[in-house]
Amino acid sequence: QVQLVQSGAEVKRPGDSVKLSCKASGYTFTTYYMHWVRQAPGQGLEWLGVISPIAGTTNFAQMLQGRLTVTRDTSTATVYMELSSLRSEDTAVYYCAGGLGYTDRLDPWGQGTLVTVSS
Amino acid sequence: QSVPTQPPSVSGAPGQTVTISCTGTTSNIGAGYDVHWYQHLPGTAPRLLIYGDNNRPSGVPDRFSGSKSGTSASLAISGLRAEDEADYYCLSYDSSLRGMSFGGGTKLTVL
């Protein structure tokens, strides 16, 4: 079955970077655009960015421009999200989610990765 | 930021019908982009309830229905059950942001 499996929880200091992974299985990797979404404690879902599985082109939410990098490794069917210059407000559960098109519904979803930023 | 707007909370008694609105702009819902709806429970990944304005994925009960008109969309939940208590989000593409945009979320309480 289609599955997205994310890497484990991370604890970081302010100013650090964090790199999360999302490994796809059960389908042809190039089928889905891969989006990243996060939910901070007590807050709603927030779309962060997307990568095209074939061309590798990306687009990010304006507020994260310059701090967010998303890459993909087609040989291992894995997408990576790196967020730099971490702040306490980056503490959140981060999800990867597949979309058939750039503007399409997000489904399936990974299980989520908790990132805690604390001094 | 042109985030679609949702009411922070709605409530209803078991068996009743509730409606959650999602008010957008001419750069997202009003531009004709599809609206999708998610149910989110703490500690779990969001669950797709409605896609493409009014389509239900396999396995989603027909108690859940979606509609869209102009710059707004709605999710209706009929025959409310205790297990429907969750947060609900709408999602659409926004051409001015050049990315996807979630509504602020609505907490449903089943009385």
Side-chain angles (χ1 to χ4, degrees):
Chain A
Q1 74 280 22
V2 175
Q3 204 170 9
L4 301 177
V5 178
Q6 299 184 227
S7 49
E10 302 266 8
V11 179
K12 295 293 183 181
R13 302 291 190 192
D16 286 351
S17 296
V18 68
K19 189 171 185 177
L20 310 181
S21 67
C22 172
K23 183 170 177 57
S25 63
Y27 70 95
T28 301
F29 180 67
T30 53
T31 298
Y32 290 108
Y33 286 74
M34 201 62 70
H35 299 252
W36 288 89
V37 174
R38 73 180 178 184
Q39 184 180 38
Q43 304 298 309
L45 298 174
E46 179 182 28
W47 181 82
L48 303 180
V50 60
I51 186 167
S52 162
I54 298 176
T57 52
T58 55
N59 193 42
F60 305 128
Q62 292 170 357
M63 62 179 177
L64 289 176
Q65 294 278 359
R67 291 206 297 138
L68 181 62
T69 304
V70 177
T71 57
R72 89 271 186 259
D73 182 341
T74 56
S75 67
T76 60
T78 302
V79 175
Y80 300 93
M81 185 210 82
E82 184 169 18
L83 188 60
S84 62
S85 302
L86 288 169
R87 311 158 184 167
S88 58
E89 51 265 39
D90 293 318
T91 294
V93 176
Y94 288 76
Y95 297 96
C96 60
L100 288 174
Y102 190 81
T103 67
D104 210 337
R105 63 191 182 271
L106 304 187
D107 189 57
W109 291 67
Q111 82 276 20
T113 297
L114 175 62
V115 174
T116 303
V117 182
S118 174
S119 55
Chain B
Q1 178 122 354
S2 50
V3 175
T5 303
Q6 299 180 229
S9 63
V10 296
S11 62
Q16 287 188 331
T17 297
V18 296
T19 301
I20 298 172
S21 62
C22 173
T23 303
T25 69
T26 54
S27 65
N28 43 63
I29 298 172
Y33 293 109
D34 285 345
V35 178
H36 319 294
W37 289 91
Y38 294 85
Q39 179 190 63
H40 193 205
L41 294 163
T44 68
R47 174 196 182 195
L48 180 67
L49 288 179
I50 298 290
Y51 68 93
D53 303 338
N54 54 19
N55 300 286
R56 278 187 310 276
S58 173
V60 174
D62 60 6
R63 301 187 297 108
F64 296 91
S65 62
S67 63
K68 185 173 81 176
S69 178
T71 58
S72 294
S74 293
L75 172 71
I77 309 172
S78 62
L80 267 181
R81 299 182 177 183
E83 60 259 35
D84 296 333
E85 194 161 282
D87 296 321
Y88 293 83
Y89 295 87
C90 60
L91 172 67
S92 185
Y93 179 77
D94 191 300
S95 58
S96 67
L97 300 176
R98 290 187 291 172
M100 303 297 280
S101 189
F102 284 96
T106 299
K107 182 175 183 57
L108 168 63
T109 301
V110 180
L111 302 171

